[in-house]
Amino acid sequence: MKLFRIIFATLLVVISCNDIGNIQGEGENPLDKCVLPSVAQAGEEVLVQWNGFTGDARIWLVSEDGTEHEMSIEVLTDSGIMFVVPADLPAGTYVFMLDQGGHKELGTIEVLAADMPVTGLKVPSNAFSGEELVIEGIGFEDGCSVMLVDADGNEHAVDARLMISGISVVLPDDVPKGDYSLYIVQNGAKWLISDSFTVYVRGQVKSLVRLDYYSPYLNSSELKLSWEINREDPLTLTLSEFLVEGEEETLQAYDRYVCDADGTFILEHDGFESSNDMEVSYTRDEDGTVTLADVLIYGKSKTTAFAWTYDADGYLTEIASATNSFRSLDYTSGNLTSFRNTDFIYNDPQLMNHPSAPDVAWAYMAMMETNDPFVYFPYLLGWYGKASVNLPDVLRVPSPMGSGKEDHPLKYTFDEDGYVVRMEWGSSYIEFEY
């Protein structure tokens, strides 16, 4: 760029030696001969040509509301001026003013907004105050920052730390819980990168106490399968089946598991003929995450140990014993994508799971696994590893006609704290109670 400006300055000197004509002629305004671009982009260089600039020339761009913005001149000769439109100059139409022994209006120029300098942006939709927020992208520069702006226009600017594939910021503890617009600020310019960013406050974590799965049944009735969690001592988990007709619910059957003093879940009440898992106990690490499930399966005289294996990022990848590879789970970019013959599709990177909310993909698994409590008990109690980062927006399941798979768009309802309270696909849905 420096070499270009040297060449440009030399070129202007040459131009100045070539008289444009008698522009100082009587009755003519020499400024009419100025060559001024009609459009420029913020952050770019602008060239104005004329035979008559003096060494003390100064230039301004004046907005429609009368605000004056003095330009920083990069190159100045008697035949031309080069300056850079500030990257943070708002888009709009400006009057170009020259001052060399008096203000003179040269014309108007339309300024376009500066281009977003960052490509490949991946912006989370939420974060906790006081904790790290990572924004992926290429093009961040040293000294950039992040700004959160609430609905009232209050701003919270946070310095960023450059990473190989983006930036990292730590949200201050005093950033209030709520919804914000998120900007990056770089080289004096500001760009909106998310108009729906939520800040949560750590400590306001909710516990799941109930799951209700509804599916169509005969005529206009529904079948409701419910998991209710009582976290008092003793801890109990109750699976109930209801027939729902209008506002009326009729209990059909239920199972109740009770956790004894040794941590074993025993089937205290068996109301479903299909139930075959009678006992299960867990080994958990210091973080409370299950590492082993010891299961007494119906018809067996001894328990079977199933190891719970997690990847390096903390996501569960397999539940298996030495003789039974019970479950393999596939994660992609921190999202559960495959469970048995069901796929979860993530098309919307803005659709983020609340950092402390249960994994909705696991909720679906729990409702589909009524006979395997060692799979869904840890989910219901929050004893498994990490939850998916995003919320899936498509559920891909086998077609009931046996012709491949079919897709069902997923819809969500959230409470005031950003927790999913309803996950809906087709005519079926799961409700979450905390």
Side-chain angles (χ1 to χ4, degrees):
M1 181 63 72
K2 184 175 180 180
L3 176 62
F4 170 76
R5 287 175 181 165
I6 294 173
I7 296 173
F8 169 73
T10 304
L11 178 62
L12 288 181
V13 171
V14 173
I15 294 175
S16 68
C17 295
N18 295 319
D19 191 2
I20 297 176
N22 186 19
I23 62 173
Q24 304 287 347
E26 185 178 353
E28 293 184 14
N29 179 0
L31 292 176
D32 290 341
K33 300 296 184 179
C34 278
V35 179
L36 174 69
S38 60
V39 179
Q41 188 167 37
E44 291 189 346
E45 293 176 330
V46 171
L47 168 63
V48 181
Q49 298 180 56
W50 176 53
N51 269 4
F53 288 120
T54 60
D56 61 350
R58 299 167 66 191
I59 53 177
W60 285 265
L61 296 184
V62 184
S63 65
E64 293 177 336
D65 64 2
T67 303
E68 296 183 350
H69 304 269
E70 185 172 4
M71 300 294 102
S72 177
I73 297 175
E74 303 288 334
V75 179
L76 170 60
T77 73
D78 61 351
S79 61
I81 289 178
M82 176 183 284
F83 64 92
V84 176
V85 180
D88 60 344
L89 192 69
T93 300
Y94 292 80
V95 175
F96 193 105
M97 299 295 295
L98 169 69
D99 181 8
Q100 53 179 35
H103 283 74
K104 298 178 178 64
E105 181 179 322
L106 301 188
T108 61
I109 184 171
E110 181 184 359
V111 174
L112 306 178
D115 285 337
M116 162 68 77
V118 181
T119 59
L121 271 171
K122 293 184 179 179
V123 185
S125 65
N126 56 61
F128 282 106
S129 60
E131 298 190 1
E132 183 184 36
L133 166 67
V134 174
I135 300 173
E136 296 183 23
I138 299 173
F140 289 108
E141 297 182 6
D142 193 26
C144 69
S145 61
V146 170
M147 181 179 293
L148 295 90
V149 182
D150 65 20
D152 297 324
N154 299 311
E155 298 179 349
H156 301 270
V158 188
D159 291 336
R161 177 176 61 86
L162 285 181
M163 304 171 62
I164 294 177
S165 59
I167 56 173
S168 166
V169 301
V170 176
L171 299 184
D173 292 326
D174 60 355
V175 175
K177 166 187 167 183
D179 296 324
Y180 294 84
S181 296
L182 196 64
Y183 296 83
I184 58 169
V185 181
Q186 186 164 291
N187 295 326
K190 182 173 70 174
W191 290 273
L192 177 69
I193 59 174
S194 174
D195 58 5
S196 180
F197 182 82
T198 304
V199 173
Y200 298 108
V201 177
R202 184 68 73 181
Q204 300 176 351
V205 177
K206 300 179 179 181
S207 295
L208 184 66
V209 297
R210 188 181 181 94
L211 279 180
D212 292 324
Y213 165 60
Y214 294 83
S215 62
Y217 197 53
L218 299 174
N219 300 321
S220 59
S221 63
E222 290 181 309
L223 191 64
K224 174 182 173 183
L225 194 63
S226 297
W227 267 110
E228 185 173 355
I229 309 162
N230 186 334
R231 297 178 184 271
E232 298 177 359
D233 189 17
L235 175 66
T236 62
L237 299 172
T238 304
L239 173 62
S240 304
E241 183 179 291
F242 298 87
L243 180 63
V244 182
E245 297 177 289
E247 298 295 324
E248 184 177 347
E249 294 184 357
T250 305
L251 178 63
Q252 304 296 300
Y254 73 95
D255 280 355
R256 176 172 291 124
Y257 292 85
V258 178
C259 186
D260 67 13
D262 297 324
T264 300
F265 287 89
I266 299 173
L267 186 60
E268 178 190 70
H269 183 279
D270 187 358
F272 293 93
E273 293 182 1
S274 60
S275 294
N276 56 15
D277 295 320
M278 312 307 294
E279 289 182 8
V280 58
S281 61
Y282 298 101
T283 301
R284 301 163 64 194
D285 63 17
E286 63 274 10
D287 297 322
T289 302
V290 171
T291 58
L292 190 74
D294 208 29
V295 182
L296 179 62
I297 299 176
Y298 181 78
K300 300 284 186 177
S301 59
K302 295 183 179 180
T303 58
T304 302
F306 289 85
W308 291 53
T309 303
Y310 302 84
D311 65 16
D313 295 319
Y315 297 102
L316 178 66
T317 57
E318 186 180 47
I319 302 173
S321 71
T323 58
N324 186 347
S325 181
F326 177 75
R327 285 285 178 271
S328 293
L329 301 99
D330 294 322
Y331 280 84
T332 303
S333 301
N335 297 313
L336 179 58
T337 54
S338 178
F339 158 68
R340 297 180 66 184
N341 54 11
T342 299
D343 299 318
F344 301 99
I345 312 300
Y346 301 82
N347 294 313
D348 186 356
Q350 297 292 329
L351 196 58
M352 303 286 289
N353 191 31
H354 186 293
S356 294
D359 195 325
V360 297
W362 271 69
Y364 177 86
M365 291 164 52
M367 293 290 92
M368 301 301 112
E369 284 281 8
T370 57
N371 296 328
D372 298 310
F374 62 99
V375 174
Y376 52 67
F377 279 5
Y379 165 75
L380 296 167
L381 299 169
W383 292 353
Y384 60 100
K386 288 185 178 180
S388 296
V389 175
N390 293 86
L391 297 172
D393 56 355
V394 174
L395 180 66
R396 182 169 293 163
V397 296
S399 168
M401 306 303 293
S403 54
K405 291 189 174 183
E406 57 184 32
D407 289 355
H408 296 280
L410 290 166
K411 299 179 182 178
Y412 297 98
T413 304
F414 302 86
D415 68 8
E416 69 280 0
D417 295 317
Y419 284 73
V420 174
V421 293
R422 182 181 173 110
M423 171 188 178
E424 180 179 354
W425 65 97
S427 54
S428 300
Y429 55 97
I430 296 175
E431 291 185 343
F432 301 76
E433 183 179 335
Y434 305 97

